[in-house]
Amino acid sequence: MSDFTPQKLSTGEWMMTRRDARFNVSMLIGGVKSLTDWEVVPVVDRLEALKTSKFSPDEPVWWELADGTLMAAIRDNGGSQRLFRSVSTDHGRTWSKPDITNYPNSTSKLFTLKTSRGFRVLVSNANPTIGRREMHLAISEDGKQFTRMARLDIPSPRATTFQYPHVIEHDGSLFIAFSNKKNVTEVLKVPLDEVGKLRD
């Protein structure tokens, strides 16, 4: 299955993440000649990863840097409470062995978007001590490291959970859609001017 829509590479091809029933992670590249023209590129074999690092991959996201390097951030269901990162320098045809990062994650889905201001945002549940009861936004200047983070102030009359974020930019603001308690979809509007204050 895929958790995200295809994105266009600088090569003109399309690429999307995929995980199978055994939670092996791969990329699908193609979609140019026809809707059925896709190449499967392995990224992580779950059983092999569990043998060496107890890494259990799930719900990867990817993005492309200005020089064509591809970055992938991968959720870990193996208990590390951290994101893993893999890199491709050949337009997604091969990927580095995923390395654990120091970026916290509450075993939950994440979403990333490059803004019109030039910095990239990452929205996720970044406080493992309380799980999905908080959602956070982080920014990266270079697309490699996220160095500033803030908790999103989501109004709620009672304790709940926030998950499955998606972000679009429109008219100077980020619109962050997410699930509240897995049964209601809500949208939070965050002005880019406010997000930009994290850069100071």
Side-chain angles (χ1 to χ4, degrees):
M1 67 173 290
S2 174
D3 294 292
F4 303 96
T5 57
Q7 301 178 73
K8 184 174 277 190
L9 293 162
S10 57
T11 60
E13 298 171 295
W14 295 87
M15 190 170 81
M16 64 190 300
T17 60
R18 189 181 73 161
R19 56 186 172 120
D20 63 20
R22 294 181 175 84
F23 287 84
N24 298 309
V25 172
S26 60
M27 299 287 181
L28 292 179
I29 302 175
V32 176
K33 296 178 182 178
S34 73
L35 290 176
T36 58
D37 178 43
W38 297 91
E39 174 187 354
V40 180
V41 177
V43 178
V44 187
D45 182 295
R46 178 176 174 269
L47 291 180
E48 287 300 315
L50 284 172
K51 289 178 184 177
T52 58
S53 64
K54 297 184 180 180
F55 173 41
S56 181
D58 197 2
E59 296 178 327
V61 298
W62 71 270
W63 61 95
E64 186 170 13
L65 304 181
D67 65 0
T69 300
L70 303 181
M71 310 290 295
I74 310 172
R75 161 185 167 178
D76 176 30
N77 291 342
S80 72
Q81 298 184 331
R82 295 292 183 268
L83 293 180
F84 277 67
R85 179 173 66 182
S86 183
V87 178
S88 173
T89 57
D90 56 4
H91 307 295
R93 259 57 190 193
T94 60
W95 291 83
S96 66
K97 180 181 177 181
D99 292 318
I100 192 170
T101 72
N102 63 355
Y103 197 95
N105 181 254
S106 302
T107 317
S108 58
K109 193 174 182 178
L110 50 147
F111 190 87
T112 181
L113 174 78
K114 186 174 181 180
T115 70
S116 62
R117 306 283 176 93
F119 59 86
R120 177 170 290 278
V121 298
L122 178 67
V123 178
S124 65
N125 304 105
N127 186 349
T129 61
I130 60 172
R132 301 181 181 186
R133 285 181 287 166
E134 292 180 353
M135 190 167 284
H136 303 80
L137 182 147
I139 65 171
S140 173
E141 299 289 350
D142 62 4
K144 299 177 183 179
Q145 295 181 313
F146 291 85
T147 57
R148 298 286 188 275
M149 181 190 295
R151 180 178 58 83
L152 292 169
D153 186 14
I154 304 174
S156 180
R158 60 183 66 85
T160 186
T161 61
F162 310 114
Q163 51 268 310
Y164 313 136
H166 190 90
V167 186
I168 63 171
E169 179 184 337
H170 176 69
D171 197 23
S173 294
L174 297 180
F175 290 81
I176 304 172
F178 56 92
S179 166
N180 184 332
K181 212 169 184 179
K182 296 186 180 181
N183 60 23
V184 177
T185 300
E186 298 183 358
V187 178
L188 183 68
K189 180 181 179 181
V190 183
L192 277 169
D193 287 342
E194 290 299 310
V195 178
K197 291 178 181 178
L198 291 174
R199 307 171 82 179
D200 299 335

